[in-house]
Amino acid sequence: MLATWSFSARGCKLAWPKLSSGGGALDAVCTVAREAEANSEVDSVGFGGLPDVIGRISLDACVMMSPERCGSVCAVTRHLHVADLARLVMERTNHVMLVGEGADSFADAMGMPVAELLSADARQAWERWRSGEKTTRPTDQGVDSGKLFSKSPSPIGEKHIPHDTVGVLAIDTQGVMAGACSTSGMPFKLAGRVGDSPIPGHGIYVDPEGGGAVATGMGEFVMGVSGSFLAVECMRRGSTPLDAVREVLERIERRHKPLAHQQVGIIALSTDGKWSAGALCPGFAVTISDASGIRSVAPELVLRPEV
Ligand code: GLY
């Protein structure tokens, strides 16, 4: 199992014992997403996520097992466990994506509990941002992230970035692969903005013929190159996970010309369990769960290590 960021380790510790003793990959990835969604200390996913420009939090998520089995929700405002909701879209409807009030109504119909999504800390961060601590427009990517989003120093050099999607890929003992991702999106985004995470092929892609990939960071860049599809397609055509990750990051670098602080991280898992992870600049981390245990490490590739 491979997941974005070190904060996913808590969910991996819950999911790994079942996955490694015969549990399903889809259950495992949803467990990891659910844990991050409930963790108020993660300010980019679920409860505790930072709101949009008008102070309203909205959540996006996707689960995927193959091009034929995928579910997604965008701009959910009343329900917390959006990866589970995306799974219900996949399992109980003949649609792929539900948006906004339609997604919330579907959650009501499925019996999911309504939840308050905005934490006191997130509201205060928004109030500080609104009252002038901000140094950027909402459409910029957190130039001021050190001020608003600072976290304790990490031993693996991980730096918090403003929209750190939890993304997870798993292969179970039956050889079935599943992926999930969940995010509150860019902090202080324009109302209505949706990023890459809930869109199959952009923030996440899983194809048993090629492998899986999930992206985190600046969704607008990932969407511009269909980042996760591109990584999986590279693997389907024979690339290693490392080369697939490099292709995505180099294409983002070439086409979008990101500023120094603008980050994208991507994880890739091949169908035979080989994996890699990469990022545009230092600060990304990935959590691995395998026979050697659960650990968070720096990615194999950093395109601009000098930044
Ligand atoms: N990568 C998450 C987002 O941009 O919303």
Side-chain angles (χ1 to χ4, degrees):
M1 185 162 59
L2 183 63
T4 56
W5 303 105
S6 62
F7 66 69
S8 62
R10 273 171 56 160
C12 293
K13 282 177 193 152
L14 292 176
W16 179 249
K18 279 191 189 148
L19 182 69
S20 58
S21 57
L26 185 59
D27 288 339
V29 296
C30 286
T31 297
V32 176
R34 210 160 39 237
E35 214 291 324
E37 287 162 354
N39 183 352
S40 66
E41 288 174 18
V42 179
D43 66 6
S44 49
V45 180
F47 180 65
L50 292 165
D52 64 14
V53 69
I54 57 170
R56 188 180 55 182
I57 179 164
S58 58
L59 306 180
D60 308 325
C62 188
V63 298
M64 188 159 186
M65 304 191 73
S66 70
E68 306 84 21
R69 291 205 74 207
C70 181
S72 155
V73 289
C74 308
V76 172
T77 57
R78 294 193 284 107
H79 296 86
L80 174 62
H81 290 304
V82 280
D84 285 345
L85 183 56
R87 178 177 180 169
L88 286 169
V89 173
M90 178 177 87
E91 292 180 337
R92 304 283 183 87
T93 80
N94 56 5
H95 305 310
V96 169
M97 183 182 285
L98 295 180
V99 178
E101 182 48 37
D104 275 306
S105 297
F106 176 68
D108 292 335
M110 291 289 108
M112 292 183 84
V114 169
E116 171 58 59
L117 303 180
L118 190 63
S119 70
D121 283 353
R123 170 177 285 280
Q124 280 168 18
W126 173 72
E127 281 166 357
R128 286 200 304 275
W129 175 83
R130 191 182 51 158
S131 69
E133 277 190 38
K134 62 188 176 213
T135 57
T136 62
R137 292 171 293 126
T139 47
D140 291 338
Q141 189 205 15
V143 175
D144 52 355
S145 61
K147 184 157 56 175
L148 284 180
F149 316 106
S150 60
K151 292 274 162 96
S152 347
S154 152
I156 51 170
E158 184 180 29
K159 276 191 214 136
H160 186 61
I161 62 165
H163 35 310
D164 324 0
T165 309
V166 62
V168 52
L169 298 162
I171 302 177
D172 63 27
T173 53
Q174 306 298 309
V176 174
M177 184 183 289
C181 62
S182 180
T183 185
S184 53
M186 184 184 285
F188 318 133
K189 61 196 175 190
L190 295 177
R193 181 265 185 193
V194 172
D196 59 324
S197 300
I199 307 177
H202 295 279
I204 182 169
Y205 199 70
V206 176
D207 183 346
E209 293 182 0
V214 188
T216 178
M218 187 76 175
E220 281 72 3
F221 293 163
V222 179
M223 291 156 90
V225 302
S226 299
S228 294
F229 176 80
L230 178 58
V232 173
E233 188 60 15
C234 287
M235 291 190 285
R236 199 175 69 81
R237 294 178 181 212
S239 296
T240 62
L242 175 60
D243 285 342
V245 161
R246 182 182 287 112
E247 173 69 31
V248 175
L249 295 172
E250 286 182 348
R251 204 173 290 197
I252 288 173
E253 179 80 11
R254 184 159 51 84
R255 301 306 298 262
H256 290 292
K257 303 188 176 25
L259 300 175
H261 64 276
Q262 289 179 317
Q263 179 66 299
V264 170
I266 184 157
I267 59 174
L269 180 64
S270 66
T271 45
D272 59 357
K274 296 192 179 66
W275 64 272
S276 186
L280 288 178
C281 49
F284 181 46
V286 57
T287 299
I288 325 302
S289 311
D290 61 15
S292 308
I294 299 170
R295 66 251 176 230
S296 299
V297 297
E300 191 173 8
L301 173 70
V302 178
L303 208 61
R304 301 179 299 182
E306 71 287 353
V307 172

